[in-house]
Structures are given as C-alpha cells and as structure tokens.
Amino acid sequence: MNSENLADRIDHALELYLPGCEAPALTNAMRYCLFAGGKRLRPRLLIASCRMFGGDEQAAMPFACAIEMIHTYSLIHDDLPAMDNDDFRRGKPSCHKQFGEALAILAGDALLNRSFEVMAEACAASEENAVRRAKAMACVGKAAGAYGMVGGQALDINNAKLDESGLARIYDLKTGGLIRAAIVAGYLIATVASDMDIKDTITQVATKLGYAFQIRDDYLDVIKTTKELGKPQGSDAKNSKTTYVTLFGLWQTKQTVNELVADAIRLLNIGAIGFNAQAAPLMDIASEFIISD
Ligand code: GRG
C-alpha cells in the first residue's frame, strides 16, 4: 500500500465525516480548507504507526481524520489577522480572506468540535476497544489544547527573543505535539497491553520527527518561493520571529533536520524491540522530512 493511495483513502473518509450542516456558508468554509490540498502527514503517520503495532487501518481512520481536522482548524486560526495574518494557505486565499473572519473562526471551531465527535463515536462503536481508543482520544486532546498546540501558540506570540531551549519548547508544544500524538495514538489504538519500553521508544521517535518537521519548515520558509510553499515566503521574518534558521543558519538547520530523521529511523530499526518490516511505512514518511537540496 503506497502512501499516495493512503492519502486518497484519508480524503475519502474525510468526505464521509464531513456532511453538510444547516449553514451552507459554514460547510463551504470547512470543506474549502479541509480539501485544499494538504499532504495528510499527521493522518498518514497515525495509520502507519497503528499498522506497525498490528492495528488495522479501519480502526485508525476516525482518529486519523480527526487529527487532520484539528490540524486544519489550527491553520485557519493561525492565519487570522490576530495571529500570523497570512493571506494564503495551501496555495489558495486563506479561510478569512475567502469567507471573512467570522466564518473562518467558526469553521475552525466547527472542525475542532467535529474531530472530538468523530473520535468519541469511534470509542463508543466498540466495547472491546473503547478504553484503548479513549486513551488515544485523550492523547490527541492533550496535544491539541493548552498542554500542547494552543499552549505553544500562546508562548509563540511575541517570541522575538528566544534562545535555543525556549524555541525548542515552543516547537515541541506547538508543532511537535500533534505529530507526536499522531504516532502515539496510532500505537495506543493498536496495542492491547502497553509495554513501557516500546511506548517510550515510539514517543522518542515521534518527538524527533516533530522537531525535525518544524525546523525543516523554518528552512523551507527561507529557501522556497511563495508558489512552492503555497503560503507567503518569509512569513517568519515578516513577523520578526526567532527560528532555528535565525539562531543557527541554513547549513546547521539542514544538518540538524537530517540528523533527527536519521536518529528516528535508527530507533525504528532496532530489531530488538520488534518493529522490523512493519516499520517501513513509518520510515518512508520520516524520509520525506530529509532535506536533500
Ligand atoms: C492557532 C490554535 C492555533 C494553533 C496554531 C500549529 C499551529 C499553532 C499553527 C499552524 C501554522 C504553523 C506555522 C505551523 C507549523 C507547522 C507547519 C509547518 C504546519 C504545516 O503543516 P503541513 O506542512 O501542512 O503538514 P499541509 O498543508 O500539508 O497540511
């Protein structure tokens, strides 16, 4: 199963999870953002992780879709004038530019709420698996809220003068948390009896990938064009933000990204903890983070 097909299956499931509501303008705004061409990274990670631990795609899919809804809501709210004030996202006018600020706020709110509805329905659908699934939902909820992404975003406002540890903390909460939750939730959905060594290892893998992903974004924000990024190039500089690139330069940023990815792949490769060939899809996704230019 290649990841392109997986992204298509995620898109199909997202369609089913998002029927129209009674407010057509809200439906349009939600669907405009959810189907704007995202890479579906977090849901693909969640499903790859679940399968690595013997779980099946069908069980993982509601959680995968829920995490993509949360991610999309975060992008909508992040683009608002009160946050990063970005006019473009995924190569199209951002939600508030297309539909106005009020609908953009509501579309984000609605996607967030729908995500928890979808996860709760998946918990309720199976008595046998309810506890594992509820743990996965709690993991995603923590990563999305004050103890994760929203908390990190709050710290990130006025981040102008950060040192490396301050930046790493914000990145871990703001971006790393949801990526980590995708991988750990996949593990929780699949696993009947938790093995703390494995949970610890998979959490380390996920943390490295989350950090690599955000500092790679810092790198791309400098070297790619607006067209390639699908959002304004140089947005970090415009907002006078400390980034990994402003602290360490482009060369070191690239080195660090590639070292983090290599570390994560090495951990997944440790046959002794039994990931073996099942880890290949997750390793393939991790390899997408490598900076080769
Ligand atoms: C406003 C609640 C709230 C949170 C904002 C995560 C976040 C916090 C904002 C998102 C904007 C941002 C700069 C995130 C950094 C992570 C990042 C590079 C997101 C883009 O993720 P991709 O590349 O996007 O997976 P696609 O479009 O492919 O889904």
Side-chain angles (χ1 to χ4, degrees):
M1 268 186 243
N2 66 36
S3 61
E4 212 176 298
N5 290 337
L6 177 56
D8 288 345
R9 292 196 294 280
I10 292 163
D11 276 4
H12 180 67
L14 281 169
E15 289 274 1
L16 299 179
Y17 282 126
L18 212 70
C21 69
E22 286 183 41
L26 180 61
T27 304
N28 289 344
M30 289 162 81
R31 295 180 64 86
Y32 172 87
C33 297
L34 199 57
F35 299 105
K39 296 180 289 298
R40 310 306 191 208
L41 170 69
R42 295 151 193 80
R44 287 191 289 125
L45 284 171
L46 192 148
I47 290 170
S49 167
C50 184
R51 289 182 59 83
M52 183 168 104
F53 293 107
D56 67 55
E57 187 175 308
Q58 216 188 337
M61 192 58 90
F63 296 86
C65 290
I67 214 161
E68 185 67 12
M69 290 180 206
I70 293 170
H71 167 61
T72 302
Y73 123 77
S74 81
L75 299 180
I76 296 171
H77 281 196
D78 191 59
D79 289 339
L80 287 168
M83 299 270 181
D84 274 5
N85 194 18
D86 278 323
D87 291 353
F88 287 92
R89 170 69 62 182
R90 291 169 166 171
K92 295 163 62 173
S94 42
C95 193
H96 65 278
K97 281 281 152 191
Q98 188 73 15
F99 298 96
E101 268 184 66
L103 266 178
I105 292 168
L106 293 173
D109 293 344
L111 284 167
L112 177 61
N113 281 286
R114 180 65 179 151
S115 74
F116 282 91
E117 187 184 350
V118 166
M119 287 189 284
E121 278 170 358
C123 296
S126 162
E127 235 169 76
E128 191 194 341
N129 299 306
V131 172
R132 308 210 287 273
R133 293 180 185 184
K135 284 184 184 173
M137 180 163 81
C139 167
V140 172
K142 184 173 178 190
Y147 310 102
M149 183 175 72
V150 174
Q153 179 75 354
L155 287 175
D156 198 24
I157 294 171
N158 303 324
N159 93 349
K161 287 230 176 315
L162 286 172
D163 61 9
E164 184 186 2
S165 70
L167 188 75
R169 185 67 192 131
I170 288 178
Y171 282 5
D172 188 63
L173 290 166
K174 193 183 85 160
T175 315
L178 212 53
I179 289 179
R180 183 167 47 245
I183 296 173
V184 175
Y187 160 80
L188 291 169
I189 293 161
T191 313
V192 179
S194 289
D195 173 326
M196 286 319 285
D197 281 348
I198 291 188
K199 188 169 182 205
D200 187 51
T201 304
I202 198 66
T203 304
Q204 278 183 53
V205 168
T207 301
K208 285 177 188 293
L209 291 179
Y211 196 40
F213 182 77
Q214 177 60 68
I215 66 176
R216 177 175 176 273
D217 189 63
D218 293 349
Y219 182 89
L220 298 180
D221 190 64
V222 177
I223 65 145
K224 295 278 182 190
T225 62
T226 296
K227 191 157 186 269
E228 287 167 321
L229 289 171
K231 62 179 182 175
Q233 190 267 351
S235 162
D236 294 334
K238 181 193 87 182
N239 293 320
S240 308
K241 283 195 165 168
T242 302
T243 70
Y244 203 86
V245 175
T246 64
L247 287 178
F248 299 105
L250 282 169
W251 187 85
Q252 184 56 50
T253 303
K254 176 177 166 179
Q255 294 301 109
T256 308
V257 169
N258 291 348
E259 278 165 21
L260 285 163
V261 175
D263 281 355
I265 291 178
R266 204 171 303 122
L267 281 168
L268 286 171
N269 250 324
I270 301 173
I273 52 174
F275 299 155
N276 302 322
Q278 303 300 329
L282 192 54
M283 287 190 203
D284 286 347
I285 301 175
S287 303
E288 293 174 21
F289 294 8
I290 293 171
I291 300 174
S292 49
D293 45 57

